[in-house]
Amino acid sequence: MAAKASSGYSKYLLVLVLFLSVWYALDKISHRFWVFDQHKLHQIASEVIALPHNSTAAMISELSHRLAAEYPKHINLKQEWVFNNAGGAMGAMYILHASITEYLIIFGTPVGTEGHTGRHMADDYFIILQGEQWAFTPGQLEKEVYRPGHMHHLVRGDAQQYKIPDSGAWALEYARGWIPAMLPFGLADCFFSTLDLNVVWDTFRITGKRILYSLSVGKF
Ligand SMILES: CC(C)=CCC[C@@H](C)[C@H]1CC[C@H]2C3=C(CC[C@]12C)[C@@]1(C)CC[C@H](O)C[C@@H]1CC3
């Protein structure tokens, strides 16, 4: 009886070990799948910030068109905005690109927000386009302040408290790593706080569509 039970468990253990080995091997070569470069994104964003703009919408439109010119096939120019509630913070995002190993979004809020960044299996680059972002790590007694043109790098595995003050901010956010593993954090507040299932549906619909599209053009 005991022997039968332990052979049942060893099947699951084998599947787990296999899964972890495949994940580890893919993680080691994941850089081969990246198409975006954070320094190039930073440069493009800085050029756009330096231009005179009539509105935030005009700046975002100019930025998305320049990104599409730099990364043909990889940028979604259809602006579909969706709320995001994560780590206690709230904002809206427009998904420019999503694939298994990278995403690029415009994220922000005109009214301010604050929360936990989450601890992700991805590096996160938050390039401020307009407004300010504040952040701190435990042990740090002064806040970090990020202004237009600054790129805030949240290193894979790290976490911070962050705030967008009441005057609001907009940023180009680039994440590279295991994107599907970020989604539970990105959606948890919808299930445990807002109960806004429209947001869950729109996030899955748009992200799923972009990931499938990326796979169809050979982008993992
Ligand atoms: C798969 C797609 C397209 C979306 C991911 C949904 C969420 C995981 C992200 C949406 C907004 C993101 C932000 C951050 C982490 C990931 C999200 C919640 C940060 C907290 C990362 C650190 C930066 O400094 C601020 C970011 C704000 C938005």
Side-chain angles (χ1 to χ4, degrees):
M1 182 81 166
K4 205 171 165 191
S6 84
S7 88
Y9 286 133
S10 57
K11 223 169 28 197
Y12 295 117
L13 197 66
L14 188 70
V15 171
L16 184 69
V17 170
L18 262 173
F19 173 79
L20 288 176
S21 314
V22 171
W23 175 78
Y24 181 79
L26 278 175
D27 196 46
K28 286 283 151 221
I29 58 158
S30 64
H31 60 276
R32 296 191 199 169
F33 306 121
W34 301 337
V35 296
F36 297 98
D37 172 64
Q38 70 275 25
H39 304 297
K40 188 79 209 167
L41 295 172
H42 191 190
Q43 183 205 319
I44 296 172
S46 303
E47 284 166 12
V48 172
I49 292 165
L51 296 172
H53 294 290
N54 292 331
S55 62
T56 309
M59 175 167 63
I60 290 172
S61 167
E62 176 69 29
L63 178 60
S64 54
H65 282 87
R66 285 186 183 221
L67 290 169
E70 181 66 30
Y71 299 103
K73 293 199 301 196
H74 296 295
I75 298 293
N76 166 33
L77 285 173
K78 185 174 171 205
Q79 281 198 33
E80 282 183 280
W81 288 91
V82 53
F83 272 142
N84 179 262
N85 293 83
M90 179 167 186
M93 63 179 177
Y94 152 36
I95 302 178
L96 290 157
H97 171 92
S99 57
I100 305 290
T101 59
E102 293 172 296
Y103 77 69
L104 190 62
I105 63 176
I106 302 286
F107 175 86
T109 162
V111 297
T113 191
E114 154 180 40
H116 190 294
T117 58
R119 219 174 267 283
H120 304 290
M121 289 167 72
D123 280 286
D124 189 281
Y125 300 92
F126 200 67
I127 305 167
I128 310 296
L129 303 170
Q130 200 176 77
E132 280 187 10
Q133 184 205 24
W134 302 343
F136 101 104
T137 306
Q140 208 176 304
L141 301 180
E142 303 290 334
K143 63 176 181 274
E144 297 164 16
V145 177
Y146 298 93
R147 300 201 166 90
H150 292 172
M151 179 162 71
H152 175 193
H153 179 196
L154 180 71
V155 176
R156 179 177 163 146
D158 285 357
Q160 290 190 303
Q161 181 187 359
Y162 80 99
K163 178 175 173 124
I164 290 177
D166 290 353
S167 46
W170 294 98
L172 174 66
E173 188 199 347
Y174 168 53
R176 89 167 24 153
W178 291 105
I179 304 309
M182 296 178 81
L183 282 178
F185 172 80
L187 290 171
D189 281 4
C190 289
F191 294 110
F192 297 109
S193 171
T194 65
L195 303 181
D196 188 345
L197 298 182
N198 286 12
V199 169
V200 177
W201 168 246
D202 282 342
T203 306
F204 272 124
R205 180 179 58 79
I206 304 169
T207 309
K209 205 158 73 181
R210 297 322 305 169
I211 290 182
L212 287 177
Y213 166 78
S214 294
L215 288 171
S216 78
V217 295
K219 166 70 182 79
F220 183 68

